[in-house]
Amino acid sequence: MKRKEVIGQEEVWQRLITMVREDRLPHAIMLCGPQGCGKMALALAFASYLICQNREGHDEACGECRQCKMLEKWGHPDLLFSYPTIKTPNMGSEHKPVSEDFAEEWRNMISRSPYFNIEQWMTEIGAENQQAIITAGESDELNRKLSLKSSQGGYKVSVIWLPERMNIECANKILKLIEEPPSQTIFIMVSENPDNLLETIRSRVQRIDVKKTDNESIQKALVGKYGISEDDAMRVARLANGDWLTAVSELSADGENKEFLADFQSLMRLAYQRNVRELKHWSENINSYGREKQKRFLTYFLRLIRESFMYNFQQPELSYMTSQEEAFTANFARFVNENNILQITELANKAIRDISQNANGKIVFFDMALQMIVLLINK
């Protein structure tokens, strides 16, 4: 994997490269940062750089040498991955799940994109309702593999994704590995919650904080990867707030968000007209969505209410909307102000709580629609 596949994060990348060039690379690094900032992308690109046989004088892996070719499908024997796993029904009672049990799923996922989260990984292995951990079996397997000499004579790189999910037995064994690392071994940990790790582990790794990805880098990547306009890309980047996963999600949810915008517009217009009959039909339509989609609509509702309120201040840098949303808000914003913003927000939050507690959707949304009549009058 080459550096150019990492979105932004030039400062962190140069710091990593400089440590190699100045021969002060620590044997254990921990990349820490929020979801979607590119920690794993950095880890994969840096691991590729360390293993590349033509890296001297370059800022990234060459992508052409024998080592890089072996890395294309992430099957290089000197690159070891550890990540949270689950116990499947076909595993024996004494078996401790290890990463190798899910190697095919893992390689498939990181080959598609170096940007992913634990929920996506759980879906990949069909374990959405289970708790994934890194077991002591993983540390034993890692110890065995690292005791072998490098197959290619260079670095052996161990990438540990979400080390905070190690159970205590595994964490203690990994600690011993870090304290007495095998020759030419580099550990790269990728963590979102480093405070959940043993203090003794945190004290023995060099922590590198990865900030949220800057908007300009996300905008450029969106334009390049998805061919959208620069204006739309910047709007999505601002909504994403430094999280590439959110940016991609915003694009994939574009159709649903357009549907939600139409529902939002319909609610506000019917409430302003005091059209109770049509508001009843509106609530029945929203009720047909199913509970998870209903909650997504209410979350969208809250966001657009917030943006409408902020629009009144006429400061574009405070507003995060698509062009379609802004076109509607330009005329609607005056109906959301200090006289009703808190009541509307509480109304939507109450609806979310009610839906989450399996309340009757028709009643919840019809009541919400009727109360919007009063709240818009009180503008």
PDB file of all heavy atoms in Angstrom, residues 185-198:
ATOM      1  N   THR A 185      11.912  -6.577  14.880  1.00  0.00           N
ATOM      2  CA  THR A 185      10.448  -6.601  14.961  1.00  0.00           C
ATOM      3  C   THR A 185       9.920  -5.221  15.327  1.00  0.00           C
ATOM      4  O   THR A 185      10.426  -4.573  16.248  1.00  0.00           O
ATOM      5  CB  THR A 185       9.972  -7.627  16.013  1.00  0.00           C
ATOM      6  OG1 THR A 185      10.338  -8.940  15.594  1.00  0.00           O
ATOM      7  CG2 THR A 185       8.452  -7.571  16.161  1.00  0.00           C
ATOM      8  N   ILE A 186       8.903  -4.777  14.592  1.00  0.00           N
ATOM      9  CA  ILE A 186       8.251  -3.498  14.865  1.00  0.00           C
ATOM     10  C   ILE A 186       6.779  -3.748  15.159  1.00  0.00           C
ATOM     11  O   ILE A 186       6.081  -4.414  14.384  1.00  0.00           O
ATOM     12  CB  ILE A 186       8.365  -2.536  13.664  1.00  0.00           C
ATOM     13  CG1 ILE A 186       9.825  -2.292  13.297  1.00  0.00           C
ATOM     14  CG2 ILE A 186       7.648  -1.221  13.963  1.00  0.00           C
ATOM     15  CD1 ILE A 186      10.627  -1.598  14.370  1.00  0.00           C
ATOM     16  N   PHE A 187       6.311  -3.252  16.294  1.00  0.00           N
ATOM     17  CA  PHE A 187       4.900  -3.331  16.646  1.00  0.00           C
ATOM     18  C   PHE A 187       4.228  -1.998  16.289  1.00  0.00           C
ATOM     19  O   PHE A 187       4.729  -0.931  16.658  1.00  0.00           O
ATOM     20  CB  PHE A 187       4.713  -3.587  18.144  1.00  0.00           C
ATOM     21  CG  PHE A 187       5.180  -4.937  18.596  1.00  0.00           C
ATOM     22  CD1 PHE A 187       6.479  -5.122  19.063  1.00  0.00           C
ATOM     23  CD2 PHE A 187       4.329  -6.041  18.550  1.00  0.00           C
ATOM     24  CE1 PHE A 187       6.915  -6.369  19.484  1.00  0.00           C
ATOM     25  CE2 PHE A 187       4.757  -7.283  18.972  1.00  0.00           C
ATOM     26  CZ  PHE A 187       6.060  -7.456  19.438  1.00  0.00           C
ATOM     27  N   ILE A 188       3.113  -2.082  15.588  1.00  0.00           N
ATOM     28  CA  ILE A 188       2.318  -0.895  15.287  1.00  0.00           C
ATOM     29  C   ILE A 188       0.913  -1.135  15.826  1.00  0.00           C
ATOM     30  O   ILE A 188       0.165  -1.959  15.285  1.00  0.00           O
ATOM     31  CB  ILE A 188       2.244  -0.599  13.780  1.00  0.00           C
ATOM     32  CG1 ILE A 188       3.641  -0.483  13.181  1.00  0.00           C
ATOM     33  CG2 ILE A 188       1.446   0.688  13.532  1.00  0.00           C
ATOM     34  CD1 ILE A 188       3.642  -0.290  11.663  1.00  0.00           C
ATOM     35  N   MET A 189       0.572  -0.459  16.911  1.00  0.00           N
ATOM     36  CA  MET A 189      -0.768  -0.576  17.474  1.00  0.00           C
ATOM     37  C   MET A 189      -1.650   0.541  16.928  1.00  0.00           C
ATOM     38  O   MET A 189      -1.182   1.664  16.726  1.00  0.00           O
ATOM     39  CB  MET A 189      -0.721  -0.512  19.000  1.00  0.00           C
ATOM     40  CG  MET A 189       0.019  -1.663  19.634  1.00  0.00           C
ATOM     41  SD  MET A 189      -0.095  -1.618  21.448  1.00  0.00           S
ATOM     42  CE  MET A 189       0.767  -3.126  21.870  1.00  0.00           C
ATOM     43  N   VAL A 190      -2.905   0.225  16.698  1.00  0.00           N
ATOM     44  CA  VAL A 190      -3.865   1.194  16.160  1.00  0.00           C
ATOM     45  C   VAL A 190      -5.037   1.253  17.130  1.00  0.00           C
ATOM     46  O   VAL A 190      -5.834   0.311  17.221  1.00  0.00           O
ATOM     47  CB  VAL A 190      -4.339   0.779  14.754  1.00  0.00           C
ATOM     48  CG1 VAL A 190      -5.299   1.809  14.193  1.00  0.00           C
ATOM     49  CG2 VAL A 190      -3.147   0.587  13.821  1.00  0.00           C
ATOM     50  N   SER A 191      -5.134   2.347  17.870  1.00  0.00           N
ATOM     51  CA  SER A 191      -6.087   2.409  18.983  1.00  0.00           C
ATOM     52  C   SER A 191      -7.021   3.610  18.902  1.00  0.00           C
ATOM     53  O   SER A 191      -6.619   4.707  18.498  1.00  0.00           O
ATOM     54  CB  SER A 191      -5.326   2.451  20.309  1.00  0.00           C
ATOM     55  OG  SER A 191      -6.202   2.617  21.406  1.00  0.00           O
ATOM     56  N   GLU A 192      -8.268   3.386  19.303  1.00  0.00           N
ATOM     57  CA  GLU A 192      -9.243   4.478  19.427  1.00  0.00           C
ATOM     58  C   GLU A 192      -9.472   4.859  20.884  1.00  0.00           C
ATOM     59  O   GLU A 192      -9.907   5.968  21.182  1.00  0.00           O
ATOM     60  CB  GLU A 192     -10.574   4.074  18.776  1.00  0.00           C
ATOM     61  CG  GLU A 192     -10.481   4.010  17.261  1.00  0.00           C
ATOM     62  CD  GLU A 192     -11.796   3.666  16.602  1.00  0.00           C
ATOM     63  OE1 GLU A 192     -12.814   3.533  17.320  1.00  0.00           O
ATOM     64  OE2 GLU A 192     -11.822   3.516  15.369  1.00  0.00           O
ATOM     65  N   ASN A 193      -9.176   3.931  21.795  1.00  0.00           N
ATOM     66  CA  ASN A 193      -9.371   4.197  23.230  1.00  0.00           C
ATOM     67  C   ASN A 193      -8.135   3.743  24.008  1.00  0.00           C
ATOM     68  O   ASN A 193      -8.183   2.768  24.770  1.00  0.00           O
ATOM     69  CB  ASN A 193     -10.622   3.465  23.746  1.00  0.00           C
ATOM     70  CG  ASN A 193     -11.892   3.979  23.108  1.00  0.00           C
ATOM     71  OD1 ASN A 193     -12.312   5.106  23.350  1.00  0.00           O
ATOM     72  ND2 ASN A 193     -12.508   3.151  22.278  1.00  0.00           N
ATOM     73  N   PRO A 194      -7.008   4.430  23.818  1.00  0.00           N
ATOM     74  CA  PRO A 194      -5.763   3.994  24.464  1.00  0.00           C
ATOM     75  C   PRO A 194      -5.822   3.978  25.982  1.00  0.00           C
ATOM     76  O   PRO A 194      -5.086   3.215  26.625  1.00  0.00           O
ATOM     77  CB  PRO A 194      -4.731   5.017  23.955  1.00  0.00           C
ATOM     78  CG  PRO A 194      -5.543   6.207  23.548  1.00  0.00           C
ATOM     79  CD  PRO A 194      -6.826   5.648  23.026  1.00  0.00           C
ATOM     80  N   ASP A 195      -6.698   4.787  26.565  1.00  0.00           N
ATOM     81  CA  ASP A 195      -6.796   4.807  28.028  1.00  0.00           C
ATOM     82  C   ASP A 195      -7.307   3.491  28.593  1.00  0.00           C
ATOM     83  O   ASP A 195      -7.176   3.234  29.801  1.00  0.00           O
ATOM     84  CB  ASP A 195      -7.708   5.955  28.485  1.00  0.00           C
ATOM     85  CG  ASP A 195      -7.082   7.319  28.246  1.00  0.00           C
ATOM     86  OD1 ASP A 195      -5.851   7.385  28.041  1.00  0.00           O
ATOM     87  OD2 ASP A 195      -7.815   8.324  28.255  1.00  0.00           O
ATOM     88  N   ASN A 196      -7.899   2.650  27.742  1.00  0.00           N
ATOM     89  CA  ASN A 196      -8.389   1.347  28.194  1.00  0.00           C
ATOM     90  C   ASN A 196      -7.301   0.274  28.193  1.00  0.00           C
ATOM     91  O   ASN A 196      -7.545  -0.856  28.590  1.00  0.00           O
ATOM     92  CB  ASN A 196      -9.552   0.879  27.312  1.00  0.00           C
ATOM     93  CG  ASN A 196     -10.786   1.742  27.492  1.00  0.00           C
ATOM     94  OD1 ASN A 196     -10.915   2.462  28.472  1.00  0.00           O
ATOM     95  ND2 ASN A 196     -11.703   1.684  26.542  1.00  0.00           N
ATOM     96  N   LEU A 197      -6.110   0.633  27.731  1.00  0.00           N
ATOM     97  CA  LEU A 197      -4.980  -0.296  27.730  1.00  0.00           C
ATOM     98  C   LEU A 197      -4.264  -0.275  29.081  1.00  0.00           C
ATOM     99  O   LEU A 197      -4.360   0.698  29.829  1.00  0.00           O
ATOM    100  CB  LEU A 197      -3.981   0.108  26.647  1.00  0.00           C
ATOM    101  CG  LEU A 197      -4.140  -0.512  25.270  1.00  0.00           C
ATOM    102  CD1 LEU A 197      -3.237   0.217  24.280  1.00  0.00           C
ATOM    103  CD2 LEU A 197      -3.814  -1.989  25.282  1.00  0.00           C
ATOM    104  N   LEU A 198      -3.545  -1.339  29.363  1.00  0.00           N
ATOM    105  CA  LEU A 198      -2.736  -1.366  30.567  1.00  0.00           C
ATOM    106  C   LEU A 198      -1.757  -0.202  30.558  1.00  0.00           C
ATOM    107  O   LEU A 198      -1.139   0.104  29.528  1.00  0.00           O
ATOM    108  CB  LEU A 198      -1.944  -2.681  30.653  1.00  0.00           C
ATOM    109  CG  LEU A 198      -2.718  -3.977  30.912  1.00  0.00           C
ATOM    110  CD1 LEU A 198      -1.754  -5.161  30.913  1.00  0.00           C
ATOM    111  CD2 LEU A 198      -3.445  -3.909  32.249  1.00  0.00           C
TER     112      LEU A 198
END
